[in-house]
């Protein structure tokens, strides 16, 4: 039983649970934003993207491919919203915050693994590396 308790209260499991809850809330936020602003804007320009009635019947069996097409359009709209309103601004903010920071790691010239800047030997392939002060720029 103690192993199970240890498993439940490990940091990464709690982090995953929190990320799941925040992600679900964020998904609702993006969906509502798309329904409130983006979809009406698209409907204003070119009509509402609703293809759910599209279907093809083959040998008496109906294939409602319009449901998939509508979901694909919604997915594309959502992906564009998330990229331009979340990913891009966040990347720019992180880039600005990291400008003044000094590098703490560098690449090993032999195995291309990240090693500390002051390392004299790679911890992965054990090859000797040039000290950081002597590295050409």
């Amino acid at each position: 039983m103690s192993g199970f308790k240890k498993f439940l209260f490990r940091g990464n499991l709690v982090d995953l649970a929190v990320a799941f809850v925040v992600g679900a809330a964020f998904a609702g936020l993006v969906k509502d934003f798309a329904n409130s602003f983006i979809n009406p804007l698209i409907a204003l320009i070119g009509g509402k993207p609703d293809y759910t009635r599209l279907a093809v019947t083959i040998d008496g069996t109906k294939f409602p491919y319009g449901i998939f097409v509508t979901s694909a359009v919604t997915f594309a709209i959502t992906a564009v919203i998330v990229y331009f309103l979340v990913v891009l601004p966040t990347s720019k903010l992180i880039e600005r915050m990291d400008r003044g920071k000094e590098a703490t790691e560098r690449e090993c010239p032999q195995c291309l693994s990240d090693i500390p800047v002051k390392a004299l030997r790679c911890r992965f392939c054990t090859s000797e590396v040039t000290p950081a002060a002597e590295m050409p720029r």
Side-chain angles (χ1 to χ4, degrees), residues 37-89:
F37 298 103
I38 304 301
N39 289 346
L41 185 64
I42 291 172
L44 188 67
I45 295 169
K48 187 175 184 207
D50 182 16
Y51 308 106
T52 54
R53 293 190 192 116
L54 297 177
V56 64
T57 304
I58 300 173
D59 200 24
T61 303
K62 184 178 179 182
F63 292 90
Y65 69 91
I67 296 170
F68 174 76
V69 171
T70 301
S71 293
V73 169
T74 302
F75 172 77
I77 291 169
T78 303
V80 167
I81 292 169
V82 169
Y83 179 76
F84 284 108
L85 296 181
V86 177
V87 174
L88 197 60

Side-chain angles (χ1 to χ4, degrees), residues 56-129:
V56 64
T57 304
I58 300 173
D59 200 24
T61 303
K62 184 178 179 182
F63 292 90
Y65 69 91
I67 296 170
F68 174 76
V69 171
T70 301
S71 293
V73 169
T74 302
F75 172 77
I77 291 169
T78 303
V80 167
I81 292 169
V82 169
Y83 179 76
F84 284 108
L85 296 181
V86 177
V87 174
L88 197 60
T90 304
S91 298
K92 295 287 184 185
L93 181 64
I94 290 171
E95 185 180 304
R96 284 186 183 172
M97 290 173 59
D98 287 346
R99 277 188 190 160
K101 289 186 179 178
E102 190 175 312
T104 59
E105 290 187 333
R106 62 184 169 133
E107 208 173 64
C108 170
Q110 298 296 317
C111 69
L112 305 178
S113 299
D114 288 334
I115 59 173
V117 172
K118 296 180 180 180
L120 300 176
R121 186 175 292 275
C122 177
R123 73 177 124 195
F124 300 101
C125 67
T126 67
S127 63
E128 289 187 28
V129 292

Side-chain angles (χ1 to χ4, degrees), residues 2-14:
S2 67
F4 184 67
K5 266 181 21 182
K6 211 182 218 183
F7 168 74
L8 284 180
F9 292 108
R10 276 195 317 202
N12 55 358
L13 184 64
V14 173

